Structures are given as C-alpha cells and as structure tokens.
C-alpha cells in the first residue's frame, strides 16, 4: 500500500481547525463498570464487528501518513485487549517518523503487567483514571473494582519512567470531598491531576444530573485552600491547566458543560468498530471499517477528507439528556 507522503498537508476541517490528534478506542470492553460511564449490564459489540489489531494498525498508518501527529489509545479499557502490546509497538514505530506522541488512557488495573512494554514502545506519559482512593468507595463507583490494583499499577508505571496524569471525574455526593485530598496526594506522588465534568453519553441506567458537579464549584472549593494560577501548559487535549501555589502538580480542568472548548478542537476519534466520529457528542460518523473490509486500504484515503468536512462546530451537552446512544467507551474517552 502506498501510504507514505513525506510532508502531508495539514488536516483542516470545514471550519478551519487543524486536526492533528486521533483517539482510538481499541475495545468497548472493560473490567470495570464505572457508574457514570456504563450501565451495570452492558451489551458489548460482537467480536467480528470490532476492528482487528491489524486493521487498527493499518488505519493508524494511514492517518499518520495524512498528517495526524498524536495518537491516544483508549477504550473501553485498552489494556484488557489481548495482544495490545503488538499494537502499541507497531504504532510506536512511527514515533519520530510523522508521529510525535503516542499516549494511553487506562483504568490502571492491568498497568503493573504492561508498564514496561508501554515505556519500551516509546510511550512517555499516560492518563490513569482514579476517581477515589478509598477502597470501598472505589468498589462502589466502579461496581466491583479493586483500587489496590490501580495503585500497584501506578507504582509500576512510575518505576518504568512514565509521566502520569490522574483523571478524576468530579461527582457531587460521591467524590467531591476527595478532590482536595487527591490534589495533595498527586503532588506527593509527582502526578498531575485533571478533573472532568461528567458527560451525558449513553444510558447508564440512571440520571447523571444527581451527581453532576460543575467544575466552577470544584474550583471555588480548591481556591478556598490553594491559589490557582492559569498557565499556558497544554497536552494536546481539551484540558486547561492551572499551577497550584506551593505545589508541583498541575491541575487540569475538562469542562464540556461549563466552559465549552470546541472552538479549538484538534481531535477526531476512531471507535473500536472503525467508525470515525468527528465529535464525541454527535452520532454522525464515517465508516472506515466497511470501506477497508469491502474495498481495501485504497478506499479509505478519500474518506478522511469527507470526515473532516463534516466535523461539527461544537457538541451540545445537556446533563440530563444523553447526547448520544454511544457510551464514551465505544468512541474512546
Ligand atoms: N478505561 C479507561 C479509563 O477509564 O481511563 C479508558 C477509557 S475511559 C472512557 C476514558 C476517560 O473517560 C476516563 O477518564 C473516564 O473517567 C472518562 N469517562 C468515561 N465516561 C465518562 C462520562 N460519561 N463523562 C465524563 N468522563 C467520562
Ligand atoms: Fe471502564 Fe474506563 Fe468506562 Fe470505567 S471509565 S467503565 S474503567 S471504560
């Protein structure tokens, strides 16, 4: 397949935004069932509907050849996908050759087994989700998860030399009281912390409104204890960062509901079914898997331009109403 273009033109969407970042959901499956993310009983996709690792790698090749410079592997839980190391190594070979950065978002439960592999493949930093450090609360929030496995994974990742950012979805009445302790703990551990507003994606068997915590409120609470100074630091995603006076930890805020960030969105997402979603909050997509399986890799190139033209201006989240039937785990958070 002739994919190589030594200096691809920048990928520009219909609104003039430069798209350089691809998030890939490598599986919709997960070993936990976080209450804000999934319903208790989930119907996962049949295996033949999910891209093979080879297909994911081929599509990643194509996107890198077209100008994607940053890829994040996510899910579902990427580290539960069998042979995930093969994919990480394969995409990692592009680092320094079109790809500037390969990263991963994980729930951390399998990190202890995989941390060295990730570092060896060229990953330098990862996001690890940790909404509570309290074992009982963590088990409740994840419907059965064991926080000790995540903490062991975090230690292994640090030992492997990976920089770590903790993702914490801020939830009223569930972990609101842990936000400031989490910030202090991250500072002790040498991790950054990003707080996330819960987003209305997919049916979770309940109403998200009950636990929705606007980050404006969380920030007010933090400011009562710690001075926050906005900083220009960016990691390619939607988080906006603050320095915390007296701490090394940077505090990131992802505020899809209280402070829309779509104006400078640089991302597209590939679901584990090979559908390219131009926005997390819309159903519109372009089906790369069908094109690839029916007509081969050459059929896929023109679809990139079609996808870019269709990227919407913004999402339109309302906390009580799911914006999409899809859970975040299908599209990749
Ligand atoms: N399983 C991995 C994990 O939990 O990190 C990767 C996939 S998960 C979908 C990626 C991120 O999305 C996690 O930080 C998770 O907390 C967040 N997330 C999932 N569902 C969400 C929702 N409805 N609103 C906001 N964040 C969500
Ligand atoms: Fe799994 Fe991540 Fe969703 Fe939790 S947030 S259920 S760990 S995919």
């Amino acid at each position: 397949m002739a994919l190589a273009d030594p200096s691809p033109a920048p990928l520009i969407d219909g609104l003039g935004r430069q798209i350089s970042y691809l998030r890939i959901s490598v599986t919709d499956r997960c070993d936990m069932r976080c209450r804000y993310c999934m319903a208790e009983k989930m119907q996962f996709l049949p295996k033949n509907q999910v891209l093979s690792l080879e297909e994911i790698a081929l599509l990643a090749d194509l996107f890198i050849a077209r100008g994607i410079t940053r890829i994040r592997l996510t899910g579902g839980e990427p580290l539960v996908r069998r042979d995930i190391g093969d994919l990480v190594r394969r995409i990692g070979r592009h680092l320094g050759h079109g790809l500037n950065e390969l990263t991963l978002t994980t729930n951390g439960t399998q990190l202890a087994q995989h941390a060295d592999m990730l570092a060896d493949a060229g990953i330098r930093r990862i996001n690890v989700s940790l909404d509570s450090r309290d074992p009982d609360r963590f088990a409740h929030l994840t419907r059965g998860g064991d926080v000790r496995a995540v903490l062991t994974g975090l230690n292994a990742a640090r030992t492997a030399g990976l920089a770590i950012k903790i993702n914490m979805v801020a939830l009223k009445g569930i972990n609101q009281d842990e936000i400031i302790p989490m910030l202090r703990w991250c500072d002790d551990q040498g991790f950054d912390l990003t707080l996330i507003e819960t987003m209305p994606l997919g049916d979770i068997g309940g109403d998200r409104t009950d636990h929705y915590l606007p980050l404006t409120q969380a920030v007010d609470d933090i400011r009562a204890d710690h001075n926050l100074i906005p900083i220009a630091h960016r990691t390619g995603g939607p988080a906006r960062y603050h320095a915390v006076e007296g701490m090394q930890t940077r505090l990131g805020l992802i505020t899809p509901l209280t402070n829309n960030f779509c104006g400078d969105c640089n991302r597209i997402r590939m679901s584990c079914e090979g559908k390219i979603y131009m926005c997390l909050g819309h159903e519109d997509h372009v089906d790369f898997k069908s094109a690839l399986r029916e007509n081969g890799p050459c059929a896929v190139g023109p679809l990139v331009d079609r996808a870019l033209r269709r990227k919407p201006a913004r999402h339109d989240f309302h906390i009580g109403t799911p914006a999409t039937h899809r859970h975040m785990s299908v599209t990749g958070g």
Side-chain angles (χ1 to χ4, degrees), residues 182-191 246-250:
M182 186 72 88
L183 185 60
R184 293 188 182 132
W185 179 76
C186 284
D187 192 45
D188 284 346
Q189 302 293 317
F191 305 154
M247 292 190 190
Q248 293 297 312
T249 290
R250 288 174 290 224

Side-chain angles (χ1 to χ4, degrees), residues 146-159:
D146 180 357
V147 75
R148 288 166 306 183
V150 182
L151 298 175
T152 306
L154 283 167
N155 277 333
R158 186 174 33 205
T159 305

Side-chain angles (χ1 to χ4, degrees), residues 206-315:
D207 189 349
R208 288 185 171 88
T209 318
D210 300 343
H211 298 297
Y212 166 59
L213 178 66
L215 288 188
T216 40
Q217 196 176 325
V219 164
D220 284 348
D221 293 347
I222 297 171
R223 282 212 161 105
D225 278 15
H226 300 278
N227 196 14
L228 299 180
I229 306 128
I231 50 175
H233 176 71
R234 296 294 300 269
T235 50
R240 301 293 185 271
Y241 288 89
H242 289 74
V244 187
E245 203 167 65
M247 292 190 190
Q248 293 297 312
T249 290
R250 288 174 290 224
L251 175 68
L253 302 173
I254 299 186
T255 54
L257 286 116
T258 56
N259 189 11
N260 182 281
F261 42 68
C262 302
D264 59 359
C265 183
N266 60 354
R267 293 172 292 289
I268 50 176
R269 296 162 193 269
M270 184 161 78
S271 75
C272 54
E273 283 183 283
K275 294 176 177 168
I276 294 288
Y277 286 91
M278 287 67 73
C279 177
L280 190 58
H282 286 263
E283 302 285 9
D284 189 31
H285 63 270
V286 178
D287 184 355
F288 278 46
K289 181 186 70 189
S290 298
L292 182 65
R293 288 189 182 172
E294 286 160 25
N295 299 311
C298 294
V300 176
L303 296 186
V304 176
D305 302 298
R306 188 186 303 172
L308 287 184
R309 279 197 300 275
R310 280 164 46 176
K311 188 167 164 64
R314 53 174 291 162
H315 63 70

